[in-house]
Amino acid sequence: MTPAQAERLSVLFDTHADRLYRLARRLARTADDALDLVQETFLKAHRDPSSIPFGLADEVACLVRFLVNV
């Protein structure tokens, strides 16, 4: 992972983690399970940072898809 990709992933986390957690909380049985879903979402993004498109709506859609498919 390049430094630019790492920085982008950090910004994605800061921007979208709360929103993803709220969604995960609706899908998961416990708060800990929801945190695990969010963590797995960002691990998936970390493994393939080029899979996340640019643009706010596209970023959100991609991360939500990752979360739902974890």
Side-chain angles (χ1 to χ4, degrees):
M1 174 175 284
T2 67
Q5 289 172 325
E7 177 63 27
R8 180 160 186 248
L9 191 59
S10 176
V11 169
L12 286 172
F13 182 83
D14 291 343
T15 304
H16 303 296
D18 290 339
R19 176 184 301 174
L20 291 172
Y21 175 76
R22 288 191 302 272
L23 173 60
R25 193 61 188 101
R26 292 179 184 171
L27 299 173
R29 293 178 190 213
T30 68
D32 286 341
D33 288 344
L35 288 171
D36 288 344
L37 283 172
V38 173
Q39 181 179 15
E40 287 297 322
T41 298
F42 282 102
L43 284 173
K44 189 169 186 176
H46 178 267
R47 286 184 207 112
D48 189 11
S50 63
S51 68
I52 312 249
F54 286 89
L56 181 62
D58 294 332
E59 290 172 356
V60 171
C62 182
L63 291 170
V64 166
R65 188 174 61 250
F66 285 175
L67 185 136
V68 170
N69 291 324
V70 166

